[in-house]
């Protein structure tokens, strides 16, 4: 049967409802007398006896909740909210898992929502809806309908007929219609390749290349060739001359001059001079990784220390909760795929003035206060659920962040060096995908964050921002703490930008992927969607054929779905099969070109060194107090668990009264047994324009 139930907190426990009421009154000046906030659960294909057992075992608690199957909404002011189809709903997902714990044969499907009933005079329901509903992720729920609408497969003709014969005007029009991030020069480059292949490309190949070559995946902007830079400042000119000299010493003078080359030149130079002996080098680029000596009960062991920072500025700007939660989730997955245990985090964000009235919000944007508070909830929710100590949290307020929010998550992980196996995949090796299932959420995330956006972007970006599933990633953390599992892995990659096409496509030069084997969240996905979906909490590993079944069994012990979906080949091509047909078959050499290198003229103006971003112009003590950046952020900081894992050395606030802000994040290394005398420290340099963090190891 299909059933809808309502769960409402009893009066003594209505904290969330009171918070929402206060938000409406404060931010919208709404004259509301009272507000009811009720959780809605639409439950499909459920046995009546199972539902009765589940009411107070899963959906509510007898002490705190009232549960009813009907509610009188006649003559009441109300609206209901639900997630858009395809968005991950953690509340509903958890309910379905719990139903299967009670009855393993349960095929029940749950959809959740919230009902808001308001009493008061002159209530503007449209204003309340606009304040509550972010159209990127949710919508108004129709309370008159109780139906499970399955997602229908969008029929797709994969081959793009006539592509190789398109002229410039036709290519430009097609590029615009597809909403791709690549340039018209890239499109010509692709056309030339497929003319040589003597066939038209498929839509999957086009969208896959758009993802592979996006700024997010390949740092196209930083790889832009700088043509004859012009400098107006002698100091910068001399620095550039030093850079050119280092290129000569490194025999790189024939390489393009790019911002990426400038950023990496010093590391290459120091390595040549023997000063980077502690840096780990392998085919895997999961995170920054160095060897450290860890003092465990007076005995030193060789460990790998990994650190990574991730920015989710665009996703958090348009969908704060999901953007911030997947910021920390994505940061964790990089060192985690390097097999390290991620145990330490810090969060630095940038926002405009969060005290400004809602009506002063820029057109097409969410209010700064909504972005900041919702993003903090998203990040802390994810980190607290997965069990990650976050001991440094700072939000910077500056008008420059109104145009684009800054959302940075930085993490550190570590693992004993002799636990890790680094090997190049060989033909015949198998690739296992495990973790969360694939859905439409996250399709276009890499390319979406690589494009210029306008007010109309909100209409087409709903699938780009995913909802994180922290419990699923926690299970992956536990799996990778098992030495027997880790030693089976030759190579690993997380499912960040690009989904299956990039996460698995990068593991070896020759790969054959069977998309029919990919586990999906719901029916209706076509081959292209499965290939490029960036749904969260998934991982891929390369293992020897003889180890594949053992790995799957170990994953299943952690309640992780694991499936063999690809095989390493010796043909230097990326091939994808869907419903028995090849929808991708591209040369690895062509993929690795990263498209047409962009070129730009650069003029660097003279720098006014008298402008010091660290200097603050404060006329008097009271002006200083008005600055948001000197305000106490204890309420924000305390949303994040700083003690989980028992590795915390310095709490976020210290001193006699625990009110003095700590300037760094410091944790003990996460050894499995014994006591460590080695501390990892992440430090943040406070500057409205510059954010940097550095690990210091061996500090006792």
């Amino acid at each position: 049967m299909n059933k809808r139930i309502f769960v409402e907190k009893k009066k003594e426990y209505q904290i969330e409802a009171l918070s929402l009421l206060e938000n409406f009154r404060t931010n919208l000046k709404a004259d509301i007398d009272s507000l009811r906030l009720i959780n809605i659960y639409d439950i499909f294909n459920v046995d009546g006896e199972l539902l009765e057992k589940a009411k107070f075992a899963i959906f509510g608690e007898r002490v705190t909740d009232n549960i009813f199957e009907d509610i009188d909404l006649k003559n009441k002011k109300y609206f209901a909210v639900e997630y858009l189809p395809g968005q991950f709903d953690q509340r509903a997902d958890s309910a379905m898992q719990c139903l299967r714990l009670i009855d393993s044969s349960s095929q029940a499907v749950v959809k959740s929502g919230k009902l808001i009933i308001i009493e008061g005079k002159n209530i503007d329901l449209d204003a309340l809806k606009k304040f509550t509903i972010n159209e990127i992720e949710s919508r108004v729920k129709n309370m008159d309908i109780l139906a499970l609408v399955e997602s229908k497969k969008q029929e797709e003709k994969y081959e793009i007929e006539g592509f190789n014969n398109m002229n410039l005007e036709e290519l430009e029009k097609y590029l615009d219609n597809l909403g791709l991030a690549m340039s018209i020069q890239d499109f010509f480059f692709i056309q030339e390749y497929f003319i040589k292949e003597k066939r038209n490309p498929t839509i999957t190949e086009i969208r896959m290349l758009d993802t592979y070559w996006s700024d997010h995946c390949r740092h196209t902007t930083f790889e832009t060739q700088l043509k004859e830079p012009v400098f107006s400042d002698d100091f910068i000119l001399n620095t550039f001359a030093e850079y050119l000299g280092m290129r000569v010493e490194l025999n790189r003078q024939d390489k393009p001059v790019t911002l990426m080359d400038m950023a990496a030149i010093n590391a290459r130079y120091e390595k040549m001079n023997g000063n980077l002996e502690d840096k780990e080098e392998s085919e895997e680029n999961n995170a920054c990784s160095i060897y450290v000596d860890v003092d465990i009960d007076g005995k030193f062991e060789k460990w790998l220390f990994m650190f990574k920072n991730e920015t989710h500025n665009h996703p958090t700007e348009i969908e704060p909760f999901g953007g911030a939660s997947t910021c920390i989730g994505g940061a964790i997955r990089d060192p985690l795929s390097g097999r390290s245990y991620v145990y330490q985090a810090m969060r630095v964000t940038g926002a405009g003035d969060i005290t400004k009235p809602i009506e002063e919000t820029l057109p097409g944007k969410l209010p700064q206060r909504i972005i900041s508070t919702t993003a903090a909830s998203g990040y802390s929710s994810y980190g607290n659920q997965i069990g990650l100590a976050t001991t440094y949290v700072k939000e910077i307020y500056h008008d420059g962040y109104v145009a684009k929010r800054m959302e940075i998550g930085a993490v550190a992980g570590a693992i004993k060096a002799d636990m890790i196996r680094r090997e190049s995949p060989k033909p015949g090796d198998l690739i296992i995908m495990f973790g969360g299932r694939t859905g439409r959420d996250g399709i276009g995330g890499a390319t979406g964050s690589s494009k210029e956006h306008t007010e109309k972007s909100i209409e087409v970006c709903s699938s780009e921002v995913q909802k994180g599933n922290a419990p699923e990633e926690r299970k992956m953390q536990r799996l990778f703490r098992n030495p027997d599992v880790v030693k089976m892995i030759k190579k690993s990659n997380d499912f960040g930008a690009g989904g299956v096409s990039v996460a698995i496509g990068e593991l070896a030069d020759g790969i054959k992927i069977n998309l029919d084997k990919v586990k999906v969240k719901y029916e209706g996905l076509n081959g292209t969607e499965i290939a490029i979906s960036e749904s969260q909490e998934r991982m891929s590993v390369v293992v020897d054929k003889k180890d594949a079944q053992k790995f799957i069994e170990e994953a299943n012990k952690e309640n992780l779905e694991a499936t063999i979906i690809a095989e390493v080949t010796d043909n230097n091509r990326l091939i994808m099969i869907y419903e028995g047909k090849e929808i991708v078959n591209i040369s690895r050499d062509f993929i690795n070109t990263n498209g047409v290198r962009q070129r730009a003229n650069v003029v660097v103006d003279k720098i006014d060194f008298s402008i010091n971003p660290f200097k603050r112009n404060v006329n008097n003590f009271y002006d200083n107090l008005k600055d948001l950046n000197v305000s106490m952020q204890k309420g924000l900081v305390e949303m994040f668990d700083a003690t989980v894992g028992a590795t915390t050395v310095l709490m976020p606030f210290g001193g006699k009264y625990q009110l003095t802000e700590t300037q760094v994040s410091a944790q003990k290394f996460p050894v499995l047994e014994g006591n460590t005398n080695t501390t990892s420290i992440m430090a943040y340099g406070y500057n409205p324009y510059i954010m940097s963090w550095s690990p210091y190891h061996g500090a006792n």
Side-chain angles (χ1 to χ4, degrees):
M1 69 174 182
N2 300 335
K3 201 75 175 177
R4 174 175 291 164
I5 64 172
F6 301 87
V7 182
E8 182 179 20
K9 291 292 179 187
K10 294 179 180 178
K11 185 177 180 179
E12 298 83 357
Y13 303 98
Q14 293 178 356
I15 299 172
E16 187 180 358
L18 291 173
S19 175
L20 183 60
L21 174 61
E22 185 61 27
N23 260 325
F24 285 160
R25 287 173 173 170
T26 302
N27 294 300
L28 301 178
K29 312 302 180 189
D31 186 14
I32 301 175
D33 297 328
S34 66
L35 179 148
R36 294 175 65 189
L37 181 62
I38 303 168
N39 285 316
I40 308 168
Y41 296 95
D42 291 347
I43 311 164
F44 304 93
N45 308 322
V46 65
D47 176 76
E49 185 178 344
L50 174 60
L51 180 58
E52 286 304 314
K53 289 181 181 178
K55 280 185 178 178
F56 285 104
I58 297 174
F59 298 103
E61 297 183 10
R62 293 188 185 279
V63 175
T64 62
D65 298 301
N66 292 315
I67 298 180
F68 33 94
E69 296 184 1
D70 194 18
I71 188 167
D72 182 13
L73 295 175
K74 190 176 181 180
N75 299 323
K76 286 187 169 61
K77 295 174 182 176
Y78 71 93
F79 63 96
V81 185
E82 65 181 356
Y83 284 124
L84 290 170
Q87 280 282 5
F88 175 69
D89 182 349
Q90 185 172 355
R91 182 184 291 272
D93 182 71
S94 297
M96 287 186 286
Q97 290 188 49
C98 291
L99 285 168
R100 287 193 290 273
L101 286 175
I102 297 176
D103 181 356
S104 59
S105 65
S106 170
Q107 297 296 315
V109 176
V110 179
K111 302 292 182 184
S112 78
K114 288 187 181 294
L115 173 64
I116 299 167
I117 304 174
I118 301 130
E119 290 186 7
K121 297 178 181 178
N122 303 318
I123 301 298
D124 186 347
L125 271 181
D126 288 336
L128 299 183
K129 289 177 186 177
K130 186 176 180 181
F131 180 84
T132 307
I133 299 172
N134 180 1
E135 295 176 355
I136 284 290
E137 57 150 3
S138 52
R139 65 185 181 186
V140 173
K141 179 180 177 66
N142 188 338
M143 294 296 292
D144 296 326
I145 296 175
L146 176 61
L148 179 61
V149 180
E150 290 291 348
S151 178
K152 294 183 179 179
K153 177 182 276 189
Q154 298 177 7
E155 293 300 326
E156 187 167 32
K157 189 173 183 179
Y158 289 96
E159 182 184 349
I160 306 172
E161 294 180 356
F163 180 87
N164 289 351
N165 298 320
M166 289 183 184
N167 58 32
L168 174 60
E169 184 179 348
E170 290 170 328
L171 283 174
E172 286 180 333
K173 184 177 180 180
Y174 191 63
L175 178 70
D176 184 60
N177 288 340
L178 289 179
L180 303 180
M182 66 173 66
S183 66
I184 188 62
Q185 290 84 4
D186 288 325
F187 237 30
F188 269 121
F189 189 43
I190 291 171
Q191 189 183 56
E192 289 173 3
Y193 170 78
F194 281 101
I195 289 173
K196 293 176 183 176
E197 290 271 306
K198 298 180 180 179
R199 68 176 178 88
N200 289 309
T202 66
I203 186 64
T204 314
E205 288 171 322
I206 293 293
R207 291 203 177 276
M208 188 203 76
L209 288 170
D210 190 45
T211 301
Y212 254 102
W213 296 349
S214 68
D215 215 339
H216 190 288
C217 292
R218 289 295 182 268
H219 307 294
T220 309
T221 299
F222 290 100
E223 292 286 5
T224 297
Q225 183 172 351
L226 308 180
K227 300 188 298 181
E228 300 179 3
V230 177
F231 300 96
S232 303
D233 189 285
D234 290 340
F235 177 78
I236 301 298
L237 178 60
N238 292 336
T239 303
F240 184 71
E242 288 182 31
Y243 157 71
L244 295 178
M246 293 167 75
R247 281 166 54 90
V248 172
E249 288 190 58
L250 290 164
N251 197 29
R252 292 182 59 84
Q253 57 268 42
D254 294 331
K255 301 286 186 182
V257 173
T258 67
L259 292 175
M260 185 66 78
D261 190 61
M262 293 179 189
I265 194 76
N266 192 62
R268 292 190 174 101
Y269 188 77
E270 293 300 328
K271 178 188 173 185
M272 182 186 74
N273 290 294
N275 296 326
L276 287 178
E277 294 179 357
D278 60 348
K279 181 178 179 293
E280 186 204 17
E281 294 190 20
S282 74
E283 292 181 12
E284 297 184 64
N285 296 311
N286 308 86
C288 299
S289 180
I290 58 176
Y291 290 99
V292 299
D293 292 321
V294 177
D295 180 356
I296 300 177
D297 294 334
K299 180 182 177 182
F300 282 95
E301 294 181 352
K302 188 69 69 177
W303 280 54
L304 273 171
F305 176 62
M306 301 185 189
F307 46 99
K308 175 71 188 292
N309 72 292
E310 174 126 348
T311 59
H312 258 213
N313 303 334
H314 165 66
T316 307
E317 178 86 15
I318 63 173
E319 204 288 85
F321 191 97
S325 66
T326 53
C327 175
I328 183 60
I332 292 168
R333 278 190 298 280
D334 276 312
L336 176 59
S337 64
R339 274 77 93 200
S340 69
Y341 180 72
V342 183
Y343 61 95
Q344 178 178 9
M346 61 187 286
R347 176 180 185 255
V348 181
T349 53
D353 187 346
I354 61 173
T355 65
K356 281 191 174 182
I358 296 292
E359 54 268 21
E360 293 184 24
T361 302
L362 290 178
K365 285 187 174 290
L366 296 172
Q368 290 296 306
R369 180 180 180 84
I370 296 298
I371 295 175
S372 284
T373 55
T374 311
S377 296
Y379 191 116
S380 61
S381 170
Y382 197 100
N384 295 347
Q385 286 184 79
I386 199 171
L388 183 62
T390 307
T391 52
Y392 188 88
V393 178
K394 188 75 174 181
E395 182 143 282
I396 305 162
Y397 302 105
H398 189 277
D399 288 342
Y401 294 121
V402 174
K404 178 61 69 70
R405 177 180 177 79
M406 178 174 72
E407 183 75 32
I408 298 174
V411 299
I415 187 171
K416 197 175 177 182
D418 62 12
M419 283 179 60
I420 295 184
R421 172 186 181 185
R422 305 272 201 223
E423 291 183 20
S424 299
K426 297 177 181 178
D429 286 343
L430 299 179
I431 297 174
I432 299 172
M433 174 179 169
F434 64 97
R437 291 194 169 201
T438 299
R440 286 198 174 98
D441 49 317
I443 291 176
T447 54
S449 61
S450 305
K451 292 186 290 190
E452 180 179 341
H453 287 274
T454 67
E455 289 181 35
K456 292 185 177 295
S457 296
I458 195 170
E459 299 172 8
V460 295
C461 290
S462 62
S463 70
E464 291 178 7
V465 185
Q466 314 96 308
K467 284 286 187 298
N469 184 356
E472 194 74 11
E473 188 157 86
R474 178 63 180 168
K475 290 185 278 185
M476 290 193 284
Q477 282 258 54
R478 286 173 52 87
L479 180 67
F480 276 27
R481 287 285 263 178
N482 184 337
D484 294 334
V485 169
V486 170
K487 290 176 182 178
M488 283 189 267
I489 302 170
K490 289 186 174 184
K491 195 174 182 181
S492 178
N493 207 359
D494 73 290
F495 277 76
V500 169
S501 64
V502 176
I504 294 179
E506 288 180 335
L507 287 171
D509 289 337
I511 291 180
K512 187 175 183 180
I513 303 171
N514 187 349
L515 295 176
D516 295 321
K517 298 290 186 181
V518 176
K519 300 282 188 180
V520 294
K521 294 179 181 177
Y522 37 78
E523 295 301 318
L525 296 175
N526 61 38
T528 303
E529 291 171 324
I530 296 172
I532 66 172
S533 166
E534 297 171 20
S535 294
Q536 295 289 291
E537 287 72 50
R538 299 175 295 161
M539 196 83 77
S540 57
V541 294
V542 180
V543 300
D544 192 285
K545 185 178 291 187
K546 65 179 176 57
D547 293 328
Q549 191 55 44
K550 177 64 175 174
F551 185 94
I552 291 172
E553 289 172 1
E554 292 298 327
N556 290 341
K557 289 178 183 177
E558 294 292 348
N559 196 27
L560 285 164
E561 288 187 320
T563 311
I564 299 169
I565 71 164
E567 181 178 355
V568 178
T569 67
D570 59 0
N571 63 4
N572 202 45
R573 296 182 77 86
L574 174 58
I575 298 172
M576 295 190 198
I577 309 293
Y578 180 66
E579 294 183 340
K581 299 178 183 178
E582 280 189 4
I583 62 172
V584 171
N585 189 335
I586 300 182
S587 161
R588 173 62 55 183
D589 293 334
F590 180 67
I591 294 173
N592 289 344
T593 63
N594 295 333
V596 177
R597 185 183 293 276
Q598 304 299 308
R599 291 170 173 80
N601 295 315
V602 178
V603 177
V604 181
D605 292 333
K606 190 175 181 64
I607 296 174
D608 184 356
F609 287 98
S610 67
I611 299 175
N612 185 349
F614 290 96
K615 186 177 180 181
R616 301 172 62 248
N617 296 317
V618 180
N619 294 324
N620 57 52
F621 178 76
Y622 294 102
D623 286 341
N624 192 44
L625 289 180
K626 294 175 185 177
D627 189 338
L628 282 176
N629 287 302
V630 301
S631 61
M632 169 68 79
Q633 296 188 7
K634 199 167 188 285
L636 171 65
V637 173
E638 289 183 341
M639 293 175 67
F640 299 80
D641 192 334
T643 61
V644 64
T647 61
T648 302
V649 175
L650 298 175
M651 292 294 288
F653 293 92
K656 182 177 180 181
Y657 301 104
Q658 294 192 351
L659 291 173
T660 303
E661 182 182 332
T662 304
Q663 300 297 312
V664 299
S665 171
Q667 308 286 136
K668 291 282 189 180
F669 268 57
V671 299
L672 289 170
E673 50 188 45
N675 296 310
T676 175
N677 294 315
T678 305
T679 304
S680 63
I681 301 176
M682 290 197 287
Y684 159 71
Y686 177 54
N687 181 338
Y689 306 97
I690 302 170
M691 200 295 290
S692 63
W693 63 281
S694 305
Y696 298 88
H697 57 86
N700 296 327

